[in-house]
PDB file of all heavy atoms in Angstrom:
ATOM      1  N   ILE A   8     177.268 -11.337  86.113  1.00  0.00           N
ATOM      2  CA  ILE A   8     176.432 -10.191  86.450  1.00  0.00           C
ATOM      3  C   ILE A   8     176.441  -9.215  85.271  1.00  0.00           C
ATOM      4  O   ILE A   8     177.487  -8.699  84.874  1.00  0.00           O
ATOM      5  CB  ILE A   8     176.953  -9.465  87.724  1.00  0.00           C
ATOM      6  CG1 ILE A   8     177.160 -10.460  88.879  1.00  0.00           C
ATOM      7  CG2 ILE A   8     176.018  -8.331  88.103  1.00  0.00           C
ATOM      8  CD1 ILE A   8     175.908 -11.168  89.358  1.00  0.00           C
ATOM      9  N   ILE A  33     174.048   1.065  92.660  1.00  0.00           N
ATOM     10  CA  ILE A  33     173.162  -0.091  92.454  1.00  0.00           C
ATOM     11  C   ILE A  33     173.976  -1.349  92.172  1.00  0.00           C
ATOM     12  O   ILE A  33     173.740  -2.407  92.772  1.00  0.00           O
ATOM     13  CB  ILE A  33     172.207   0.201  91.272  1.00  0.00           C
ATOM     14  CG1 ILE A  33     171.198   1.277  91.674  1.00  0.00           C
ATOM     15  CG2 ILE A  33     171.509  -1.073  90.789  1.00  0.00           C
ATOM     16  CD1 ILE A  33     170.345   1.798  90.526  1.00  0.00           C
ATOM     17  N   ILE A  34     174.957  -1.245  91.270  1.00  0.00           N
ATOM     18  CA  ILE A  34     175.711  -2.433  90.868  1.00  0.00           C
ATOM     19  C   ILE A  34     176.494  -3.024  92.049  1.00  0.00           C
ATOM     20  O   ILE A  34     176.658  -4.247  92.146  1.00  0.00           O
ATOM     21  CB  ILE A  34     176.631  -2.139  89.642  1.00  0.00           C
ATOM     22  CG1 ILE A  34     177.316  -3.410  89.138  1.00  0.00           C
ATOM     23  CG2 ILE A  34     177.658  -1.055  89.922  1.00  0.00           C
ATOM     24  CD1 ILE A  34     176.388  -4.493  88.649  1.00  0.00           C
ATOM     25  N   VAL A  35     176.941  -2.167  92.964  1.00  0.00           N
ATOM     26  CA  VAL A  35     177.670  -2.665  94.139  1.00  0.00           C
ATOM     27  C   VAL A  35     176.727  -3.468  95.040  1.00  0.00           C
ATOM     28  O   VAL A  35     177.080  -4.552  95.523  1.00  0.00           O
ATOM     29  CB  VAL A  35     178.325  -1.494  94.922  1.00  0.00           C
ATOM     30  CG1 VAL A  35     178.899  -1.981  96.238  1.00  0.00           C
ATOM     31  CG2 VAL A  35     179.399  -0.826  94.071  1.00  0.00           C
ATOM     32  N   GLU A  36     175.518  -2.963  95.238  1.00  0.00           N
ATOM     33  CA  GLU A  36     174.536  -3.692  96.053  1.00  0.00           C
ATOM     34  C   GLU A  36     174.261  -5.070  95.444  1.00  0.00           C
ATOM     35  O   GLU A  36     174.171  -6.080  96.152  1.00  0.00           O
ATOM     36  CB  GLU A  36     173.219  -2.913  96.170  1.00  0.00           C
ATOM     37  CG  GLU A  36     173.337  -1.563  96.864  1.00  0.00           C
ATOM     38  CD  GLU A  36     173.519  -1.672  98.381  1.00  0.00           C
ATOM     39  OE1 GLU A  36     173.645  -2.799  98.901  1.00  0.00           O
ATOM     40  OE2 GLU A  36     173.547  -0.605  99.043  1.00  0.00           O
ATOM     41  N   THR A  37     174.141  -5.105  94.115  1.00  0.00           N
ATOM     42  CA  THR A  37     173.891  -6.386  93.439  1.00  0.00           C
ATOM     43  C   THR A  37     175.071  -7.334  93.652  1.00  0.00           C
ATOM     44  O   THR A  37     174.883  -8.505  94.031  1.00  0.00           O
ATOM     45  CB  THR A  37     173.679  -6.168  91.925  1.00  0.00           C
ATOM     46  OG1 THR A  37     172.616  -5.230  91.743  1.00  0.00           O
ATOM     47  CG2 THR A  37     173.344  -7.468  91.222  1.00  0.00           C
ATOM     48  N   LEU A  38     176.283  -6.829  93.425  1.00  0.00           N
ATOM     49  CA  LEU A  38     177.476  -7.683  93.551  1.00  0.00           C
ATOM     50  C   LEU A  38     177.648  -8.177  94.986  1.00  0.00           C
ATOM     51  O   LEU A  38     178.109  -9.309  95.208  1.00  0.00           O
ATOM     52  CB  LEU A  38     178.725  -6.919  93.097  1.00  0.00           C
ATOM     53  CG  LEU A  38     178.802  -6.623  91.589  1.00  0.00           C
ATOM     54  CD1 LEU A  38     179.865  -5.572  91.291  1.00  0.00           C
ATOM     55  CD2 LEU A  38     179.093  -7.901  90.800  1.00  0.00           C
ATOM     56  N   LEU A  39     177.258  -7.351  95.962  1.00  0.00           N
ATOM     57  CA  LEU A  39     177.412  -7.751  97.364  1.00  0.00           C
ATOM     58  C   LEU A  39     176.546  -8.958  97.732  1.00  0.00           C
ATOM     59  O   LEU A  39     176.945  -9.788  98.554  1.00  0.00           O
ATOM     60  CB  LEU A  39     177.084  -6.581  98.304  1.00  0.00           C
ATOM     61  CG  LEU A  39     178.225  -5.573  98.514  1.00  0.00           C
ATOM     62  CD1 LEU A  39     177.712  -4.317  99.228  1.00  0.00           C
ATOM     63  CD2 LEU A  39     179.375  -6.202  99.314  1.00  0.00           C
ATOM     64  N   VAL A  40     175.373  -9.069  97.106  1.00  0.00           N
ATOM     65  CA  VAL A  40     174.505 -10.229  97.381  1.00  0.00           C
ATOM     66  C   VAL A  40     175.249 -11.518  97.005  1.00  0.00           C
ATOM     67  O   VAL A  40     175.222 -12.517  97.734  1.00  0.00           O
ATOM     68  CB  VAL A  40     173.170 -10.136  96.605  1.00  0.00           C
ATOM     69  CG1 VAL A  40     172.303 -11.365  96.858  1.00  0.00           C
ATOM     70  CG2 VAL A  40     172.414  -8.863  96.968  1.00  0.00           C
ATOM     71  N   PHE A  41     175.978 -11.471  95.878  1.00  0.00           N
ATOM     72  CA  PHE A  41     176.715 -12.647  95.400  1.00  0.00           C
ATOM     73  C   PHE A  41     178.023 -12.833  96.176  1.00  0.00           C
ATOM     74  O   PHE A  41     178.420 -13.954  96.499  1.00  0.00           O
ATOM     75  CB  PHE A  41     176.985 -12.534  93.896  1.00  0.00           C
ATOM     76  CG  PHE A  41     175.741 -12.724  93.070  1.00  0.00           C
ATOM     77  CD1 PHE A  41     174.817 -11.700  92.928  1.00  0.00           C
ATOM     78  CD2 PHE A  41     175.474 -13.934  92.473  1.00  0.00           C
ATOM     79  CE1 PHE A  41     173.653 -11.873  92.191  1.00  0.00           C
ATOM     80  CE2 PHE A  41     174.308 -14.130  91.730  1.00  0.00           C
ATOM     81  CZ  PHE A  41     173.402 -13.096  91.586  1.00  0.00           C
ATOM     82  N   GLN A  42     178.692 -11.704  96.464  1.00  0.00           N
ATOM     83  CA  GLN A  42     179.938 -11.762  97.239  1.00  0.00           C
ATOM     84  C   GLN A  42     179.687 -12.454  98.590  1.00  0.00           C
ATOM     85  O   GLN A  42     180.486 -13.259  99.056  1.00  0.00           O
ATOM     86  CB  GLN A  42     180.445 -10.323  97.467  1.00  0.00           C
ATOM     87  CG  GLN A  42     181.664 -10.183  98.363  1.00  0.00           C
ATOM     88  CD  GLN A  42     182.970 -10.585  97.689  1.00  0.00           C
ATOM     89  OE1 GLN A  42     183.112 -10.471  96.490  1.00  0.00           O
ATOM     90  NE2 GLN A  42     183.923 -11.073  98.468  1.00  0.00           N
ATOM     91  N   ASN A  43     178.529 -12.145  99.194  1.00  0.00           N
ATOM     92  CA  ASN A  43     178.227 -12.662 100.528  1.00  0.00           C
ATOM     93  C   ASN A  43     177.542 -14.021 100.526  1.00  0.00           C
ATOM     94  O   ASN A  43     177.200 -14.548 101.587  1.00  0.00           O
ATOM     95  CB  ASN A  43     177.356 -11.656 101.293  1.00  0.00           C
ATOM     96  CG  ASN A  43     178.102 -10.352 101.555  1.00  0.00           C
ATOM     97  OD1 ASN A  43     179.328 -10.350 101.664  1.00  0.00           O
ATOM     98  ND2 ASN A  43     177.373  -9.250 101.621  1.00  0.00           N
ATOM     99  N   CYS A  44     177.299 -14.584  99.342  1.00  0.00           N
ATOM    100  CA  CYS A  44     176.623 -15.888  99.267  1.00  0.00           C
ATOM    101  C   CYS A  44     177.682 -16.993  99.255  1.00  0.00           C
ATOM    102  O   CYS A  44     178.487 -17.086  98.329  1.00  0.00           O
ATOM    103  CB  CYS A  44     175.767 -15.966  98.001  1.00  0.00           C
ATOM    104  SG  CYS A  44     175.026 -17.590  97.773  1.00  0.00           S
ATOM    105  N   PRO A  45     177.699 -17.858 100.272  1.00  0.00           N
ATOM    106  CA  PRO A  45     178.738 -18.884 100.356  1.00  0.00           C
ATOM    107  C   PRO A  45     178.719 -19.888  99.205  1.00  0.00           C
ATOM    108  O   PRO A  45     179.719 -20.558  98.964  1.00  0.00           O
ATOM    109  CB  PRO A  45     178.442 -19.587 101.688  1.00  0.00           C
ATOM    110  CG  PRO A  45     177.108 -19.118 102.132  1.00  0.00           C
ATOM    111  CD  PRO A  45     176.771 -17.861 101.406  1.00  0.00           C
ATOM    112  N   ILE A  47     178.476 -19.124  96.039  1.00  0.00           N
ATOM    113  CA  ILE A  47     179.065 -18.533  94.826  1.00  0.00           C
ATOM    114  C   ILE A  47     180.585 -18.517  94.965  1.00  0.00           C
ATOM    115  O   ILE A  47     181.121 -17.970  95.931  1.00  0.00           O
ATOM    116  CB  ILE A  47     178.540 -17.092  94.602  1.00  0.00           C
ATOM    117  CG1 ILE A  47     177.015 -17.067  94.467  1.00  0.00           C
ATOM    118  CG2 ILE A  47     179.220 -16.441  93.387  1.00  0.00           C
ATOM    119  CD1 ILE A  47     176.454 -17.751  93.241  1.00  0.00           C
ATOM    120  N   MET A  50     182.861 -14.562  90.184  1.00  0.00           N
ATOM    121  CA  MET A  50     181.944 -13.751  89.381  1.00  0.00           C
ATOM    122  C   MET A  50     182.645 -13.193  88.152  1.00  0.00           C
ATOM    123  O   MET A  50     183.842 -12.930  88.174  1.00  0.00           O
ATOM    124  CB  MET A  50     181.448 -12.555  90.190  1.00  0.00           C
ATOM    125  CG  MET A  50     180.493 -12.885  91.297  1.00  0.00           C
ATOM    126  SD  MET A  50     179.836 -11.332  91.961  1.00  0.00           S
ATOM    127  CE  MET A  50     180.741 -11.207  93.479  1.00  0.00           C
ATOM    128  N   LEU A  72     185.308  -6.387  96.380  1.00  0.00           N
ATOM    129  CA  LEU A  72     184.498  -7.480  95.815  1.00  0.00           C
ATOM    130  C   LEU A  72     185.424  -8.512  95.178  1.00  0.00           C
ATOM    131  O   LEU A  72     185.519  -8.640  93.955  1.00  0.00           O
ATOM    132  CB  LEU A  72     183.514  -6.902  94.790  1.00  0.00           C
ATOM    133  CG  LEU A  72     182.535  -5.881  95.395  1.00  0.00           C
ATOM    134  CD1 LEU A  72     181.907  -5.018  94.326  1.00  0.00           C
ATOM    135  CD2 LEU A  72     181.461  -6.610  96.207  1.00  0.00           C
ATOM    136  N   LYS A  74     185.422 -11.668  94.813  1.00  0.00           N
ATOM    137  CA  LYS A  74     184.952 -12.806  94.011  1.00  0.00           C
ATOM    138  C   LYS A  74     184.846 -12.438  92.532  1.00  0.00           C
ATOM    139  O   LYS A  74     184.671 -13.316  91.689  1.00  0.00           O
ATOM    140  CB  LYS A  74     183.601 -13.308  94.517  1.00  0.00           C
ATOM    141  CG  LYS A  74     183.689 -14.109  95.816  1.00  0.00           C
ATOM    142  CD  LYS A  74     182.359 -14.765  96.150  1.00  0.00           C
ATOM    143  CE  LYS A  74     182.403 -15.385  97.539  1.00  0.00           C
ATOM    144  NZ  LYS A  74     181.051 -15.862  97.938  1.00  0.00           N
ATOM    145  N   HIS A 106     172.558 -13.043  86.219  1.00  0.00           N
ATOM    146  CA  HIS A 106     171.715 -12.090  86.964  1.00  0.00           C
ATOM    147  C   HIS A 106     171.861 -10.684  86.401  1.00  0.00           C
ATOM    148  O   HIS A 106     172.954 -10.249  86.040  1.00  0.00           O
ATOM    149  CB  HIS A 106     172.103 -12.113  88.447  1.00  0.00           C
ATOM    150  CG  HIS A 106     171.190 -11.296  89.325  1.00  0.00           C
ATOM    151  ND1 HIS A 106     169.860 -11.604  89.507  1.00  0.00           N
ATOM    152  CD2 HIS A 106     171.417 -10.164  90.043  1.00  0.00           C
ATOM    153  CE1 HIS A 106     169.309 -10.703  90.324  1.00  0.00           C
ATOM    154  NE2 HIS A 106     170.232  -9.820  90.664  1.00  0.00           N
ATOM    155  N   ARG A 110     169.194  -5.500  89.361  1.00  0.00           N
ATOM    156  CA  ARG A 110     168.260  -6.103  90.332  1.00  0.00           C
ATOM    157  C   ARG A 110     168.984  -6.276  91.655  1.00  0.00           C
ATOM    158  O   ARG A 110     169.356  -7.399  92.042  1.00  0.00           O
ATOM    159  CB  ARG A 110     167.771  -7.476  89.846  1.00  0.00           C
ATOM    160  CG  ARG A 110     166.840  -7.429  88.654  1.00  0.00           C
ATOM    161  CD  ARG A 110     166.301  -8.835  88.401  1.00  0.00           C
ATOM    162  NE  ARG A 110     165.656  -8.979  87.122  1.00  0.00           N
ATOM    163  CZ  ARG A 110     164.339  -8.821  86.930  1.00  0.00           C
ATOM    164  NH1 ARG A 110     163.541  -8.527  87.931  1.00  0.00           N
ATOM    165  NH2 ARG A 110     163.834  -8.957  85.720  1.00  0.00           N
ATOM    166  N   PRO A 111     169.213  -5.160  92.386  1.00  0.00           N
ATOM    167  CA  PRO A 111     170.006  -5.223  93.618  1.00  0.00           C
ATOM    168  C   PRO A 111     169.230  -5.793  94.809  1.00  0.00           C
ATOM    169  O   PRO A 111     169.833  -6.062  95.840  1.00  0.00           O
ATOM    170  CB  PRO A 111     170.353  -3.748  93.877  1.00  0.00           C
ATOM    171  CG  PRO A 111     169.214  -2.996  93.276  1.00  0.00           C
ATOM    172  CD  PRO A 111     168.786  -3.781  92.064  1.00  0.00           C
ATOM    173  N   LEU A 112     167.911  -5.961  94.653  1.00  0.00           N
ATOM    174  CA  LEU A 112     167.103  -6.375  95.807  1.00  0.00           C
ATOM    175  C   LEU A 112     166.903  -7.881  95.875  1.00  0.00           C
ATOM    176  O   LEU A 112     166.052  -8.367  96.618  1.00  0.00           O
ATOM    177  CB  LEU A 112     165.761  -5.641  95.785  1.00  0.00           C
ATOM    178  CG  LEU A 112     165.935  -4.168  96.171  1.00  0.00           C
ATOM    179  CD1 LEU A 112     164.925  -3.284  95.473  1.00  0.00           C
ATOM    180  CD2 LEU A 112     165.849  -4.013  97.685  1.00  0.00           C
ATOM    181  N   LEU A 113     167.707  -8.616  95.117  1.00  0.00           N
ATOM    182  CA  LEU A 113     167.640 -10.077  95.165  1.00  0.00           C
ATOM    183  C   LEU A 113     167.848 -10.565  96.606  1.00  0.00           C
ATOM    184  O   LEU A 113     168.804 -10.180  97.273  1.00  0.00           O
ATOM    185  CB  LEU A 113     168.732 -10.655  94.255  1.00  0.00           C
ATOM    186  CG  LEU A 113     168.984 -12.163  94.378  1.00  0.00           C
ATOM    187  CD1 LEU A 113     167.739 -12.959  94.007  1.00  0.00           C
ATOM    188  CD2 LEU A 113     170.154 -12.568  93.486  1.00  0.00           C
ATOM    189  N   ASP A 114     166.938 -11.417  97.035  1.00  0.00           N
ATOM    190  CA  ASP A 114     166.996 -11.962  98.382  1.00  0.00           C
ATOM    191  C   ASP A 114     168.024 -13.102  98.426  1.00  0.00           C
ATOM    192  O   ASP A 114     168.014 -13.982  97.562  1.00  0.00           O
ATOM    193  CB  ASP A 114     165.594 -12.497  98.702  1.00  0.00           C
ATOM    194  CG  ASP A 114     165.466 -12.907 100.138  1.00  0.00           C
ATOM    195  OD1 ASP A 114     165.164 -12.017 100.942  1.00  0.00           O
ATOM    196  OD2 ASP A 114     165.659 -14.099 100.450  1.00  0.00           O
ATOM    197  N   SER A 115     168.892 -13.072  99.435  1.00  0.00           N
ATOM    198  CA  SER A 115     169.965 -14.075  99.470  1.00  0.00           C
ATOM    199  C   SER A 115     169.416 -15.504  99.596  1.00  0.00           C
ATOM    200  O   SER A 115     169.998 -16.448  99.057  1.00  0.00           O
ATOM    201  CB  SER A 115     170.940 -13.766 100.604  1.00  0.00           C
ATOM    202  OG  SER A 115     170.237 -13.699 101.815  1.00  0.00           O
ATOM    203  N   ALA A 116     168.271 -15.661 100.275  1.00  0.00           N
ATOM    204  CA  ALA A 116     167.696 -17.006 100.425  1.00  0.00           C
ATOM    205  C   ALA A 116     167.200 -17.535  99.080  1.00  0.00           C
ATOM    206  O   ALA A 116     167.313 -18.738  98.795  1.00  0.00           O
ATOM    207  CB  ALA A 116     166.552 -16.969 101.443  1.00  0.00           C
ATOM    208  N   ILE A 117     166.675 -16.651  98.247  1.00  0.00           N
ATOM    209  CA  ILE A 117     166.195 -17.079  96.928  1.00  0.00           C
ATOM    210  C   ILE A 117     167.382 -17.431  96.026  1.00  0.00           C
ATOM    211  O   ILE A 117     167.343 -18.412  95.280  1.00  0.00           O
ATOM    212  CB  ILE A 117     165.285 -15.998  96.303  1.00  0.00           C
ATOM    213  CG1 ILE A 117     163.972 -15.962  97.102  1.00  0.00           C
ATOM    214  CG2 ILE A 117     165.014 -16.273  94.817  1.00  0.00           C
ATOM    215  CD1 ILE A 117     163.053 -14.820  96.787  1.00  0.00           C
ATOM    216  N   LEU A 118     168.462 -16.650  96.126  1.00  0.00           N
ATOM    217  CA  LEU A 118     169.675 -16.981  95.366  1.00  0.00           C
ATOM    218  C   LEU A 118     170.179 -18.373  95.761  1.00  0.00           C
ATOM    219  O   LEU A 118     170.475 -19.209  94.898  1.00  0.00           O
ATOM    220  CB  LEU A 118     170.759 -15.918  95.605  1.00  0.00           C
ATOM    221  CG  LEU A 118     172.139 -16.227  95.009  1.00  0.00           C
ATOM    222  CD1 LEU A 118     172.069 -16.419  93.497  1.00  0.00           C
ATOM    223  CD2 LEU A 118     173.140 -15.118  95.361  1.00  0.00           C
ATOM    224  N   GLU A 119     170.233 -18.620  97.063  1.00  0.00           N
ATOM    225  CA  GLU A 119     170.724 -19.933  97.524  1.00  0.00           C
ATOM    226  C   GLU A 119     169.827 -21.061  97.043  1.00  0.00           C
ATOM    227  O   GLU A 119     170.305 -22.098  96.585  1.00  0.00           O
ATOM    228  CB  GLU A 119     170.808 -19.964  99.059  1.00  0.00           C
ATOM    229  CG  GLU A 119     171.998 -19.179  99.562  1.00  0.00           C
ATOM    230  CD  GLU A 119     172.263 -19.354 101.043  1.00  0.00           C
ATOM    231  OE1 GLU A 119     171.745 -20.333 101.635  1.00  0.00           O
ATOM    232  OE2 GLU A 119     172.982 -18.513 101.596  1.00  0.00           O
ATOM    233  N   MET A 225     165.033  -0.798  99.873  1.00  0.00           N
ATOM    234  CA  MET A 225     166.384  -0.889 100.439  1.00  0.00           C
ATOM    235  C   MET A 225     166.411  -0.295 101.845  1.00  0.00           C
ATOM    236  O   MET A 225     167.047  -0.842 102.750  1.00  0.00           O
ATOM    237  CB  MET A 225     167.349  -0.138  99.518  1.00  0.00           C
ATOM    238  CG  MET A 225     168.733  -0.688  99.514  1.00  0.00           C
ATOM    239  SD  MET A 225     168.759  -2.340  98.803  1.00  0.00           S
ATOM    240  CE  MET A 225     170.404  -2.812  99.208  1.00  0.00           C
ATOM    241  N   LYS A 228     164.885  -2.730 104.200  1.00  0.00           N
ATOM    242  CA  LYS A 228     165.831  -3.806 104.458  1.00  0.00           C
ATOM    243  C   LYS A 228     166.882  -3.366 105.482  1.00  0.00           C
ATOM    244  O   LYS A 228     167.219  -4.096 106.402  1.00  0.00           O
ATOM    245  CB  LYS A 228     166.565  -4.154 103.146  1.00  0.00           C
ATOM    246  CG  LYS A 228     166.242  -5.522 102.595  1.00  0.00           C
ATOM    247  CD  LYS A 228     167.165  -5.786 101.388  1.00  0.00           C
ATOM    248  CE  LYS A 228     167.125  -7.227 100.978  1.00  0.00           C
ATOM    249  NZ  LYS A 228     167.921  -7.496  99.780  1.00  0.00           N
TER     250      LYS A 228
END
Side-chain angles (χ1 to χ4, degrees):
I8 309 297
I33 290 171
I34 185 62
V35 172
E36 297 286 5
T37 304
L38 291 165
L39 278 169
V40 178
F41 288 78
Q42 175 76 29
N43 295 331
C44 175
I47 301 294
M50 289 189 256
L72 299 161
K74 285 189 188 172
H106 187 65
R110 290 187 194 267
L112 287 149
L113 169 62
D114 188 86
S115 56
I117 290 170
L118 173 59
E119 285 189 18
M225 210 66 190
K228 247 186 167 176

